[in-house]
Amino acid sequence: MIFTDTPGANKDKYMSVTRYYKDPKVVLLQNVNGGDAAVLTNKDSHASRVFKLNSIGAEIISMLARPRTREELIAALSEKYPGQAAAITSDVPAYLEQLCAGRLLKTTEEKARCILLVYPFSRKKEFTEPVPPLGLLLLAESLQKAGHSVEIYDFQLPGASMRDFFARLEQIRYDAVGFSVNTVNAHEAVMLAGAVKLSSPDTKIIFGGPHVTFEYARLLADHPQIDLAVLGEAENSIAPALDYLFSDFTGDAPPGTAHMARSLLVKGEGVPPPVDLDSLGLLDLSRVVNLRHHRDYPAYPLMTSRGCPFNCAYCASPAFWGRTYRRRDLESVMREVRQAKERYGYQVFKLEDDTITADRKRLMEFCRAIKHEGVRWVALSRVEAIDQETVTAMRASGCYAVFTGIESLDVKVLETIHKSRNLSAQELEERVDLCVKAGMRVDLSFILGLPGETTATAAGMLEFCRRIKSRYSNTVSTTFNFITMFPGTELSRRASELGYSRVSIDRTESLIGPTWASPTMSAGDMWRVFTTNLLNYSELKYATK
């Protein structure tokens, strides 16, 4: 026999998990009491069946990490073991029947593809904690449902490197590699895609994400290594896009896709149907192939809504989501919270909503629901939504930190960016006081170089920050960001009209240095304000030690 069924075996004795499979879920283990084994889990009952494999059985499962036809499998085994080619040809069909009978393998009518989705590194990696790539994990689920084999490589994680990445590509010849691209990592994504195409010319390259949604024409024209761009919300369009790509672009381009054909840009008409948010469930972190342990992600990403009802001039959310605010059913959200606790042990959740406080009534319902789960969570909020009632409810339900965008203290600047608020600097401080006294950390964010901002108004922001941090040096942080013309934003469309000039050709520098100067604030002015805030913070921390 190629394997023996060992019900109730203690899988805790097994070590060195090498690969995960879904539908059914199979974990291939090596060095099990001198042999190999596979664990077939039941996601409903959490029970498992353990199969002891002989060497050829383990080899077959390992090779079928990439879906292959029987003939392709026999050819691959014969190439690896040329001295046993005749025996492989005669014995493998019977082995496959045994593995399928044991539900360790499955067959499909259509050609399944082996896909790698990549979250590229960025130059801010050392300053940020890794967060599970929510978008890629949701896309992987959509592709899995379409019958494809999907893995994710996350360059945010410790140990991620170019060497490790390309060693994996050499080990497993993926049919397609997709990149999640935002403005900050766009340069790295283009570079990686070019290297992948150079090392494996037959591998298809797919780009998607916010940056691609607005810059697809330029990216496709300038970077021929990109075979297909997937635009906007992609859970419902990624599978049709993949079929279209591997049909050599036969027929009409599906909605939400774009590509080049004989130097001409081809874009699918219309938009894909919106995603049913209530259908989303627990993220499968086992798809992240370079994740050593889920604790490498300190918090679990939780999405309770998509979109934003506001229209800030510096933000691309209105253009990306269509300025809609779609709410996910809270029972669906709480079910995911419970599953993340049970499966991964998570007790900290990072809300991925643009602003959880956009709908006050729903915020209160969310707080009542998540309070029963006994977890901790962090979220983004508009400062004007913070008051005694919301702070009390949020803190009582486990919220321990809130991030809020102040952007500027100048009334005219706020009017220009469509973020007017009837709050004085004193009233802003009072809202910070509410959060801190309730036991919550606060992160205040400002933008340097907004239209009309000057060194004088920036000095007011610095003084505001100094007052706040003199009282709460360990519980309040202030972050100054450099103005960035993110594609899809009103500011990017009006940059020339507003008198902005580019001071760096590399947009990915935007978060670690100025890329634009305004008529009222030079790049040097921005640097001085930025460094002054850092020095003030350091002085205050030293004084409180």
Side-chain angles (χ1 to χ4, degrees):
M1 287 288 289
I2 193 170
F3 63 83
T4 58
D5 189 354
T6 314
N10 182 3
K11 64 177 182 292
D12 292 334
K13 294 181 180 178
Y14 305 135
M15 52 191 296
S16 184
V17 177
T18 60
R19 190 164 307 284
Y20 295 81
Y21 305 92
K22 294 273 288 184
D23 298 328
K25 182 176 180 181
V26 177
V27 182
L28 180 62
L29 305 167
Q30 292 184 333
N31 300 322
V32 183
N33 299 327
D36 299 296
V39 178
L40 177 62
T41 67
N42 185 317
K43 66 180 181 180
D44 297 319
S45 67
H46 301 287
S48 300
R49 295 170 68 199
V50 179
F51 297 84
K52 186 72 178 291
L53 299 170
N54 64 14
S55 57
I56 190 65
E59 188 72 63
I60 288 174
I61 287 185
S62 180
M63 281 198 166
L64 289 178
R66 173 183 179 178
R68 307 172 192 255
T69 64
R70 178 180 298 184
E71 290 72 22
E72 289 171 337
L73 175 64
I74 291 173
L77 286 167
S78 299
E79 181 180 356
K80 187 170 183 177
Y81 304 103
Q84 303 177 45
I88 287 170
T89 301
S90 62
D91 295 344
V92 161
Y95 288 159
L96 290 174
E97 288 182 9
Q98 293 177 41
L99 288 168
C100 288
R103 292 176 55 235
L104 292 178
L105 296 179
K106 68 172 184 176
T107 59
T108 58
E109 294 295 328
E110 298 180 356
K111 168 72 173 176
R113 303 290 177 178
C114 189
I115 313 298
L116 180 66
L117 301 178
V118 181
Y119 193 87
F121 58 85
S122 72
R123 285 169 238 187
K124 281 203 76 183
K125 175 180 176 179
E126 62 270 28
F127 304 115
T128 58
E129 289 185 335
V131 177
L134 177 62
L136 291 185
L137 287 160
L138 293 175
L139 290 182
E141 187 66 24
S142 297
L143 288 169
Q144 183 74 44
K145 288 178 181 177
H148 302 291
S149 174
V150 191
E151 295 180 337
I152 296 171
Y153 193 94
D154 186 359
F155 273 99
Q156 299 178 95
L157 288 169
S161 67
M162 296 283 281
R163 174 175 294 182
D164 179 61
F165 175 73
F166 282 100
R168 182 165 295 278
L169 262 64
E170 182 65 27
Q171 178 186 5
I172 302 175
R173 288 291 178 175
Y174 296 96
D175 296 301
V177 177
F179 294 87
S180 175
V181 186
N182 55 51
T183 301
V184 177
N185 68 21
H187 175 80
E188 285 77 10
V190 167
M191 178 191 67
L192 274 174
V196 171
K197 184 66 82 171
L198 185 65
S199 65
S200 180
D202 293 334
T203 300
K204 304 294 186 183
I205 302 295
I206 305 170
F207 267 33
H211 190 81
V212 178
T213 297
F214 303 111
E215 293 283 288
Y216 66 89
R218 182 185 63 81
L219 286 167
L220 289 168
D222 293 348
H223 304 289
Q225 67 266 41
I226 305 172
D227 295 294
L228 184 70
V230 179
L231 317 178
E233 187 178 62
E235 286 92 342
N236 284 339
S237 62
I238 187 64
L242 200 66
D243 293 340
Y244 177 64
L245 175 61
F246 282 101
S247 73
D248 293 326
F249 302 126
T250 301
D252 295 330
T257 64
H259 65 96
M260 299 298 292
R262 298 186 180 89
S263 301
L264 296 176
L265 180 67
V266 177
K267 183 175 181 292
E269 295 184 2
V271 295
V275 174
D276 176 9
L277 300 185
D278 296 340
S279 69
L280 305 179
L282 181 70
L283 303 175
D284 186 356
L285 300 183
S286 69
R287 297 190 195 281
V288 184
V289 293
N290 62 319
L291 179 64
R292 296 174 300 189
H293 193 281
H294 67 79
R295 283 193 294 266
D296 287 339
Y297 291 128
Y300 182 93
L302 187 66
M303 180 190 64
T304 84
S305 66
R306 272 188 180 172
C308 179
F310 303 106
N311 192 33
C312 302
Y314 56 85
C315 179
S317 179
F320 188 85
W321 302 111
R323 203 179 174 184
T324 59
Y325 184 58
R326 292 151 52 202
R327 301 159 179 83
R328 183 178 171 192
D329 182 74
L330 288 180
E331 178 51 40
S332 168
V333 176
M334 293 306 119
R335 184 165 53 250
E336 184 175 359
V337 170
R338 290 190 289 271
Q339 290 173 339
K341 289 164 57 181
E342 292 169 4
R343 180 166 175 181
Y344 303 118
Y346 273 109
Q347 293 294 323
V348 179
F349 292 78
K350 180 179 182 295
L351 268 63
E352 295 290 335
D353 303 43
D354 285 335
T355 173
I356 185 65
T357 56
D359 182 332
R360 186 185 186 90
K361 180 175 179 291
R362 186 172 182 274
L363 169 66
M364 294 303 181
E365 293 172 351
F366 172 82
C367 289
R368 285 193 290 271
I370 201 168
K371 182 178 181 179
H372 296 293
E373 303 303 330
V375 298
R376 304 170 71 223
W377 54 280
V378 300
L380 298 169
S381 172
R382 291 192 46 124
V383 68
E384 57 266 39
I386 295 174
D387 58 26
Q388 186 65 65
E389 183 184 22
T390 57
V391 168
T392 300
M394 291 169 69
R395 185 69 188 102
S397 66
C399 181
Y400 69 93
V402 63
F403 302 85
T404 185
I406 304 297
E407 321 315 353
S408 174
L409 298 178
D410 187 84
V411 174
K412 291 184 178 179
V413 173
L414 292 171
E415 288 177 354
T416 302
I417 62 172
H418 314 310
K419 201 169 184 178
S420 297
R421 54 177 179 256
N422 295 319
L423 295 175
S424 65
Q426 178 61 36
E427 289 170 320
L428 291 177
E429 290 187 46
E430 291 171 358
R431 278 160 167 73
V432 174
D433 289 340
L434 287 174
C435 294
V436 175
K437 290 176 180 177
M440 295 161 62
R441 294 182 55 197
V442 184
D443 189 348
L444 304 175
S445 174
F446 298 83
I447 300 178
L448 293 172
L450 287 169
E453 200 76 72
T454 65
T455 54
T457 59
M461 292 193 291
L462 285 171
E463 178 56 31
F464 173 85
C465 294
R466 188 174 181 84
R467 287 198 306 271
I468 290 285
K469 291 190 292 187
S470 66
R471 301 202 304 273
Y472 306 119
S473 61
N474 295 318
T475 51
V476 178
S477 63
T478 58
T479 304
F480 282 77
N481 301 296
F482 300 103
I483 182 78
T484 303
M485 301 301 170
F486 288 111
T489 65
E490 179 184 324
L491 284 186
S492 70
R493 295 191 299 272
R494 299 183 59 203
S496 178
E497 170 195 340
L498 294 169
Y500 282 90
S501 57
R502 187 187 288 277
V503 295
S504 168
I505 61 172
D506 186 357
R507 292 187 181 184
T508 62
E509 296 271 356
S510 59
L511 299 181
I512 56 175
T515 55
W516 294 84
S518 77
T520 56
M521 208 168 190
S522 69
D525 293 333
M526 296 181 205
W527 267 122
R528 279 186 285 276
V529 175
F530 181 84
T531 53
T532 300
N533 179 64
L534 291 179
L535 289 171
N536 285 347
Y537 180 65
S538 299
E539 290 171 1
L540 288 165
K541 288 214 47 159
Y542 180 78
T544 57
K545 285 184 179 179

